[in-house]
Structure formats: C-alpha cells, structure tokens
Amino acid sequence: MYTEKVMDHFMNPRNVGEIEDASGVGEVGNAKCGDIMKMFLKINDDGIIEDVKFKTFGCGSAIASSSMASELIKGKSIQEAMEITNKAVAEALDGLPPIKMHCSVLAEQAIKAALLDYSEKNNIHIEGLEGFDFDEDLH
Ligand code: FES
C-alpha cells in the first residue's frame, strides 16, 4: 500500500527536531484526525532557507510527508518553497494512497504557516501567501 519512499521517510525521517532561533515557525493540524505538524525554518538574509526542522505528531504518511517536504525546501528560496504543493510532496514520495493525501496537505500548510510567521515577524510581503486557506481539509 505504501511506496518504498514513504516507508523510508517514515522509518528514517529527515530533519526531525526544532530550531531554537528559527526565523519562522508554523504549526498546523487536522481537526478530524487530530494530527499536528510543526515546521521550523531558518532563513538567511538572502531569503534562502538554510535549515529546516519539523515535529510531527501524527500518522506515518504525515511523518513521511513532513520529512520529504523538509528535504524539498532545504536550500531553496522562499518563492521556491511557496511553490511546493501537497501534490509535489506526494509525488516526491512516489505517491500516497488516496485516503492519505490529506496528510501531505498538512506538510504544504506547515511550510506556508512558517513562511507567514517569518513574513509577519519581518514585515515583508510574500507573494501568494495572503488568502491561502489553512483550513483546507481533504478528508
Ligand atoms: Fe491525518 Fe495522516 S491521518 S495527517
């Protein structure tokens, strides 16, 4: 049912932890399954995401999705990170079962929530963030 990549990122998640002096922190949750994801970003003066850490209290697919999402945005610019959709995360994992697609939504939302926190703290505008629906629910 799960791809090798999903199993790998679930069993050996990359970038688990916290960044104490994070530039932006985002926490999102899914009300129906109760899973919670917290994403920490360290963004340098050039707007590059130098480091990413996450903590996910949730299902295996949510852990694999956050691990993959953290890998996808590490070393990327803010704008590149904005372009990471939940589908891109799921594709990078070689797919998720349809009933588990919502787990990848948490990963996209956690990235955007952390970027929103960063933009608010630094009073900067990030194209595409306003109007983003953090309550989107694909259950
Ligand atoms: Fe809810 Fe996976 S079951 S995030």
Side-chain angles (χ1 to χ4, degrees):
M1 169 172 179
Y2 291 110
T3 68
E4 267 175 41
K5 276 196 188 159
V6 173
M7 289 310 291
D8 178 31
H9 280 264
F10 168 53
M11 306 288 266
N12 311 291
R14 323 311 194 249
N15 307 310
V16 174
E18 293 183 27
I19 300 176
E20 264 179 34
D21 56 342
S23 322
V25 182
E27 183 172 326
V28 293
N30 184 301
K32 290 210 178 106
C33 62
D35 292 351
I36 295 170
M37 195 179 287
K38 199 165 179 182
M39 190 77 72
F40 303 78
L41 304 179
K42 181 90 186 151
I43 301 174
N44 70 17
D45 292 341
D46 298 325
I48 301 297
I49 300 167
E50 278 187 339
D51 199 12
V52 188
K53 291 268 191 281
F54 76 88
K55 279 190 159 175
T56 293
F57 303 94
C59 74
S61 297
I63 290 168
S65 293
S66 35
S67 170
M68 180 55 87
S70 70
E71 291 277 89
L72 288 175
I73 62 171
K74 208 174 191 175
K76 299 280 167 54
S77 68
I78 291 171
Q79 217 48 53
E80 284 169 324
M82 279 296 297
E83 283 162 21
I84 302 289
T85 61
N86 79 294
K87 288 196 179 69
V89 173
E91 271 167 29
L93 289 167
D94 291 337
L96 282 169
I99 57 159
K100 288 286 172 182
M101 276 305 282
H102 78 272
C103 314
S104 63
V105 172
L106 271 189
E108 178 184 345
Q109 290 176 336
I111 293 170
K112 292 197 163 84
L115 288 173
L116 184 64
D117 181 45
Y118 169 76
S119 74
E120 286 172 353
K121 279 184 181 144
N122 294 280
N123 215 1
I124 58 161
H125 172 81
I126 297 178
E127 198 65 48
L129 257 190
E130 63 288 333
F132 179 74
D133 183 5
F134 285 100
D135 293 322
E136 187 193 3
D137 187 351
L138 296 183
H139 261 284

